Amino acid sequence: MNSNEEPLKKKPRKNVESKQNVHCVNGSLPETKTVKPRRKHIANFRLKSTGYEACLSTQANDRIPLVLTDIQHLLLHSLFGNLNITQSPRWYVLDKCSHVSQTTCCIIEGLSINQFEEYKNKLPNTCSIFEDFVEVLTPSVYNGSLVKELALVPLTESEKECIIQKYGSMNLALEVRKDLLVMMRAVFPIEYDNLKEIETECEDKFPRTQLMLSAWQLIEENYPVPLKGKLKNIYSDYVFSKKEYKSVTPKSPMFGLDCEMCTTNAGSELTRVSVVDEKYRVVYESYVKPYNSITDYLTRYSGITESILTNITKRLEDVQRELSDILPPDAILIGQSLNIDLHALRMFHPYVIDTSLIYNFTGERTRKPKLKTLAKEFLNLDIQSNRNGHCSVEDSITALKLVQLKLTKNIEFGDAVHENRQKYKENCQKYTTKSEYALSIFNHIIEQKKTSLVVGCDDITGDYHSYLTQAKDSLSAQFKKGKPKKVKLNTVETVSEIVSSVSSAVNEYNLVMAHIKMNECNHITDIDEWIKDIWNSLKQSSLFVVILSGTTTQNGVAMIKVKNK
């Protein structure tokens, strides 16, 4: 290239405005082009359709509330970025999450969704700050501990790095170490006890409870869940599989279940159900006659024919009653896409393992494998080969065998999603032995040591201290690491001191949690001032979450906003 020639590509000028000459047309003046200054990357929070379904702007009868785990995932996402995310958040989008400068969460106990809506006109500051208000099923409704559930969130950097190296992601670690029954008790009549971790002598390589769907996964995967609002109307004729359940444990019995359906003039209805135990013995088998006229027996899939059902008198409610009688109160049901079967049975059940979710070939949870493919790949079995249709007993046994096989291996076995996570974990462990690579692996989540502060009166911080100490001691023993840094607890005497402490500390800590208990001296207008003062103290791109805890009879509310103006 001649030294006098210009390069083929020029770098754009940095000046705010530049004018670019173009050819004149019919003597007209040359056009000018204004280059606007480039906007900085600014974090932003917005709802997905699932989030909108939980919004207070949605009619109460059509609303599907979120669970507290949903809020926990948001807090973790804001703190640790996209590396923490194993799958797309189900209810929100956090744009430019790496640019969230700080996270503040304010928990206010003693205020419910009904009270919030009743006194909304006395919360002008709150309503002007927040745009997104969602209903949340909080522990107050089921006499759980809000402190216990939230205490697992504020982790220091050393704890986080240990967890990531152990599990591959914070989300997975949260699900593994979180008490499975905490959220289940929110929606199912589970007998309350202070059950501790059971030392099991089972042959399982890991607890079978780790394969069970959590409460929010049941909702996400379209399982029938007895929540208020829209789902209550949809499932008005559904029944519980037991009047009361016991706490599930690593020793709880597993049962394979499969149903066959036909098409009636009312839709899909049950025609056959089979249940087998862990020794593959059939413990329940029955044909069922639909009430509505059958338009298609689906014989090619179900094996059901008109002649089979001719003399059948058993109805759906008979099957529901008989299943309730034979299933133990801590039974774990196993099946392929078991949500379809439970919908056919019109039944709620809390403890479920779904083979279409614990096995995966593609690395994408939404692309579910077929049972026939899983049987051939992992069990070397040819199933569903009968031209006269599927056998529900065969499918029940196959699903059960797949779970039993996985329990002899590890939680990553046969699951590309977990295998990808495992490879990531191994890479982390491989390179963290070399100091020059340690920062490059974690540089998008570890720019500096992250810190946390919990502020409250002595009736709150004492609970946080006990739960956090217990959680940290457990983590230290589990990961055999050095003693992790403690989350700082700040005990004050009044709510005003909580607010002032938080307002002065938000720029010093990555996560600040303020926990306030309402009393008779507090008024709704006080809450509005507290929220305004904390909001004004936040710096640009801070995530602010306010949680109203709800009461024993009414759900709570969560408000979310990134300060980006």
Side-chain angles (χ1 to χ4, degrees), residues 45-48 73-74 77 85 89-94:
F45 172 87
R46 52 194 172 91
L47 295 175
K48 288 183 175 180
H73 285 175
L74 171 62
H77 191 179
I85 300 300
R90 78 183 192 99
W91 67 280
Y92 70 89
V93 174
L94 190 59

Side-chain angles (χ1 to χ4, degrees), residues 13 45 143 194 201 207 292 315 336 510 519-520 540:
R13 296 179 181 178
F45 172 87
N143 295 321
N194 294 317
E201 298 180 357
N292 298 289
R315 299 292 190 175
Q336 174 80 2
N510 301 109
N519 57 49
E520 295 179 357
Q540 185 82 350

Side-chain angles (χ1 to χ4, degrees), residues 232-277:
K232 183 177 181 180
N233 297 330
I234 294 174
Y235 304 145
S236 59
D237 61 339
Y238 283 47
V239 301
F240 287 99
S241 55
K242 301 290 291 186
K243 289 183 179 180
E244 189 172 64
Y245 302 92
K246 288 187 177 179
S247 300
V248 69
T249 74
K251 290 184 177 181
S252 293
M254 300 187 300
F255 295 86
L257 183 147
D258 188 67
C259 297
E260 302 297 343
M261 280 73 78
C262 68
T263 303
T264 70
N265 53 17
S268 179
E269 293 195 52
L270 184 71
T271 53
R272 183 184 180 186
V273 55
S274 302
V275 181
V276 298
D277 64 13

